[in-house]
Amino acid sequence: MFLHAFPLHAGMWAPQAALSAQARVLTVDAPGRGRSHAVPPSASLEARVDQIAALLDAEQIPKVVLAGLSMGGYTALAFCRRHAERLLGLLLADTRAEADTDEGRAGRMAMIQTAEREGIDAIANAMLPKLLGETTRRTRPDLVEQVRALIRDVPVPAIVSDLLCMAARPDSTALLPTIAVPTLVIVGEEDVPTPPAVARAMADTIPGASLAIIPHAGHLSNLEQQERFNQVVSDFLYGLAEAS
Ligand code: MLT
């Protein structure tokens, strides 16, 4: 089950549909967008993960391998805190365990004002240089526009709720050594918001976790280097299947 990044929706996982030859692939839209447009935007990641657990109940899925990228990773860690017994494995991509700094929280509040005053295009313009790596921005204008189109599908109230949830999230650093399921940490080599050093520190702290660094990818490593990303996820899933 894949949990998407900010300021996006589950459509960012389109390239991972290729993994359905190997496993059932599920994606979830955070509240207020896409297939979750009728779910009222919540103010906490805890509320979101309880909704995900309820969705698993409704689909009669007892356990999942949960994969989250960036905001999706913050959500996956919140799920781990509240519903660890439902995890078969964990995949944390381009994310971090630390809470926001005071400066980071102030930046979230400023971005809420930008979203409300100027609309979604201003959010896309602010975020695209952070989301995509230098190589992608230089060589893949098609992908830049594809990500812009994904962002433009997200209503402003959903953006605001994402920002409030991320600003309020607790620090998960102390959770990492307690994670008891096989874990893969993935990071784009050119990821600036959550760079490889952050991913390496996370992988070093989670018992038995492995780390995959994806060359020529930035923060949206699953979109920027789709085949390489899918290959490391596929290897991880095969490893899980062999171990069980
Ligand atoms: C994301 O990609 O989900 C965001 O960059 C996360 C964040 O703003 O902390």
Side-chain angles (χ1 to χ4, degrees):
M1 174 177 271
F2 287 99
L3 305 177
H4 63 78
F6 168 83
L8 295 161
H9 59 80
M12 70 168 261
W13 296 114
Q16 281 60 57
L19 292 163
S20 58
Q22 183 180 356
R24 182 175 175 196
V25 174
L26 302 165
T27 62
V28 186
D29 284 299
R33 77 208 81 191
R35 292 158 299 162
S36 301
H37 66 93
V39 178
S42 41
S44 77
L45 292 181
E46 285 69 28
R48 290 186 177 189
V49 298
D50 290 351
Q51 288 164 347
I52 293 169
L55 180 66
L56 291 173
D57 289 341
E59 295 286 327
Q60 299 186 317
I61 299 170
K63 291 190 173 211
V64 282
V65 179
L66 196 61
L69 191 145
S70 199
M71 178 179 75
Y74 309 155
T75 312
L77 288 171
F79 189 93
C80 201
R81 208 166 15 248
R82 289 170 81 86
H83 303 284
E85 73 288 351
R86 304 199 71 156
L87 289 174
L88 287 171
L90 188 63
L91 200 160
L92 299 168
D94 302 281
T95 194
R96 66 171 69 243
E98 294 80 17
D100 280 357
T101 59
D102 288 344
E103 190 189 357
R105 269 186 217 108
R108 306 271 191 216
M109 299 311 135
M111 194 172 275
I112 288 174
Q113 293 203 334
T114 304
E116 288 177 337
R117 286 188 191 146
E118 297 171 40
I120 195 66
D121 285 331
I123 300 300
N125 288 337
M127 289 302 295
L128 278 167
K130 299 181 185 157
L131 294 173
L132 296 169
E134 195 270 324
T135 303
T136 300
R137 282 181 282 124
R138 188 165 38 82
T139 62
R140 299 283 312 277
D142 56 318
L143 188 52
V144 177
E145 289 318 304
Q146 199 183 316
V147 175
R148 185 189 301 281
L150 288 170
I151 296 172
R152 294 184 84 179
D153 282 344
V154 182
V156 165
I159 297 287
V160 171
S161 112
D162 288 352
L163 290 162
L164 292 174
C165 285
M166 291 192 288
R169 76 188 193 283
D171 192 289
S172 293
T173 313
L175 176 75
L176 300 181
T178 73
I179 293 176
V181 289
T183 301
L184 171 64
V185 179
I186 300 180
V187 67
E189 189 182 27
E190 301 174 8
D191 185 340
V192 173
T194 51
V198 167
R200 181 167 286 116
M202 247 188 332
D204 284 348
T205 314
I206 300 171
S210 44
L211 172 68
I213 300 180
I214 312 271
H216 311 301
H219 192 57
L220 295 183
S221 55
N222 72 304
L223 281 169
E224 294 178 63
Q225 292 297 331
Q226 312 183 352
E227 287 179 15
R228 183 82 188 105
F229 186 96
N230 284 355
Q231 188 60 55
V232 295
V233 176
S234 172
D235 291 347
F236 177 62
L237 293 176
Y238 276 121
L240 281 181
E242 270 171 20
S244 67

